[in-house]
Amino acid sequence: MHLAFIGSRSQAGLQAPAVTVEIHLSSGLPSFHVVGLAESASREIRSRVRSAIVSSHLKWPDFNITVNLAPCEQAKQGTRYDLPIALGLLVASNQLPSSAIEKREFLGELGLDGSIRPSRGALSATLAATLDAHSMCVASTGAEDLACVPDSTVIAAPDLLSMCAILRADQPARVAPAPSSPPAAQFPDLSSIRGQPLLVRTLELAAAGGHHLLMTGPPGVGKTLAASTVPGLLPPLPPETQQQLWLLQDLTGDERLSTPPFRSPHHSSSIAALIGGTAKALPGEISMAHGGVLFLDELTEFPRAVLNQLRQPIEEGRICVSRAEHQHWYPAQFQLIAAMNPCPCGLAGSEDAQCRCTPDTIRRYRQGVSGPLMDRIDLHVTLNKPSTADLFSQPAAHDTSHGVRDRVRTARARQLDRQGCLNRDLSGDQAVALCQMTSQTREWLVNALERLGVSPRSTHRRLRVARTVADIEGVQCVTKDHLAHALALRETPPGGGAVKSF
Ligand SMILES: [Zn+2]
């Protein structure tokens, strides 16, 4: 036989479309060519595959070798096809029976010594192969994690020669799933925030309703610490979200974690790093925060163009990444937690020292963040430095992450039971309907809103927050107390100067 067809998988976002590696050996001058690839790229593959075959004491077929990756439009990315090409050559040159590759798919890079190295994106390939009732043959490294895919058959070997031996067996040994679940990331406890009861309560609200949060306060007030406690307050990820996150982590080579992620990109990050892109259209930070928290410190320092890009994923929970010929959708359902100083010097509203910024400078500083993004942030909280005595105070027993997590879990379950989504995602009309206010409460609210000069759009945000306050208490109807709490939480930062769209 001088022809072999061997199954593999390409990568398109989180999908892994099937690819058939076709090998044809014909007489003529010995050569090696991959259809659709430039001569230099073909030579690279040939060098690796040839060295691996020769180092494994197998015979390199001295034929005119043509390799085709079908369908042709599949991006021919990376080194993942080394293993299927090598095995295809062995089958085509009768060194391996064709039964060895039936109903099996192959993925892996080859070292010059014949060793098999894992490929990124092997998890989505294993999921897709399992759906097609095929087994997946990969490198030994990381194979245990792939074997955790339900109903999968994963066959693994450390090198090409061992893989050939395994494939010749009637029933090759399958890899056992990893014995323990992936590690859980550790987050600081809520009790480490001292002397800031309002902040602690707001963090609980943000976690319970999934609300986006903006903290404004002078440097050193503990904004980063506060943000990093939030993933520790969230309930375990739903299975579907967890799987999407593992696929993303597998694709980017990040460590697999079983807890909601916490991502804090620097303000100097490029749009591609934050939103997704690069030459290979890989997911960005907002997708890596899927199901968890995206923390943007120094919000005003982020370029406006970057912040504007956040609007679509915040609304749709996903992002389309397109670069050159690649276009992929990635999930990006994150909770935005942002922090900023009240003014360029950070001292506006502070009692310790005098702010020297002019009202004009402060206004320009705050307008660095676009209004439409601010509109999507339900909770705004202004922080002041706690007193020195507060730093030594004992936290209240009910304000530990453990205690709050239980309340958050119950409140979230209540929302999902009632409306199928978190309060963050309620439309204006839904928020009004679900608050179930009495006519007396409604009248009080209208008066309060008129007195405060609150815009209709801002009213809906406050209603969503009030609904969450009531859900934490387990109350069906939103009362004056809940509304008062929500109204108090969205305030203009200190330092004066009404800010557009706050
Ligand atoms: Zn200032």
Side-chain angles (χ1 to χ4, degrees), residues 90-114:
L90 297 176
V91 172
S93 58
N94 296 322
Q95 298 180 67
L96 195 67
S98 58
S99 59
I101 55 171
E102 271 168 24
K103 290 193 173 289
R104 288 175 187 156
E105 295 185 9
F106 301 83
L107 208 62
E109 177 186 333
L110 288 176
L112 300 186
D113 57 350

Side-chain angles (χ1 to χ4, degrees), residues 248-331:
L248 288 163
Q249 288 166 344
D250 185 53
L251 199 55
T252 56
D254 281 39
E255 190 191 2
R256 257 175 116 183
L257 292 173
S258 59
T259 35
F262 177 78
R263 307 290 293 199
S264 56
H266 192 255
H267 55 73
S268 62
S269 305
S270 64
I271 291 192
L274 198 72
I275 308 296
T278 70
K280 291 179 181 169
L282 285 174
E285 288 290 330
I286 60 166
S287 293
M288 301 316 291
H290 182 54
V293 169
L294 179 73
F295 177 51
L296 301 185
D297 199 7
E298 316 248 6
L299 186 68
T300 48
E301 301 291 326
F302 282 84
R304 214 181 162 89
V306 168
L307 296 183
N308 282 339
Q309 295 262 351
L310 293 177
R311 283 159 53 193
Q312 186 208 356
I314 283 182
E315 288 204 337
E316 294 184 20
R318 60 183 194 150
I319 179 79
C320 179
V321 172
S322 43
R323 287 290 176 279
E325 65 211 55
H326 309 290
Q327 187 182 42
H328 306 310
W329 285 95
Y330 290 113

Side-chain angles (χ1 to χ4, degrees), residues 3 14 53 57 118 122 164 198 200 202 214 219 233 256 269 302 356 363 401 444 455 483 487 491:
L3 199 59
L14 295 189
I53 287 183
H57 307 291
C164 290
L198 173 72
V200 171
T202 309
L214 172 66
L233 307 180
R256 257 175 116 183
S269 305
F302 282 84
R356 293 183 189 282
R363 194 168 40 84
S401 287
W444 177 89
S455 71
L483 290 166
L487 287 175
E491 55 184 87

Side-chain angles (χ1 to χ4, degrees), residues 198-199 202 213-217 379-383 489-491:
L198 173 72
L199 175 60
T202 309
L213 165 69
L214 172 66
M215 295 178 281
T216 308
L379 289 167
H380 290 209
V381 65
T382 303
L383 307 176
L489 276 173
R490 228 191 116 86
E491 55 184 87

Side-chain angles (χ1 to χ4, degrees), residues 22-26 31-35 64-68:
E22 303 173 345
I23 311 271
H24 182 239
L25 309 183
S26 60
S31 66
F32 180 95
H33 180 63
V34 181
V35 178
N64 182 346
I65 301 167
T66 307
V67 178
N68 184 39

Side-chain angles (χ1 to χ4, degrees), residues 95 234 242 244 358 383:
Q95 298 180 67
L234 301 178
Q242 177 73 80
Q244 288 173 327
T358 63
L383 307 176

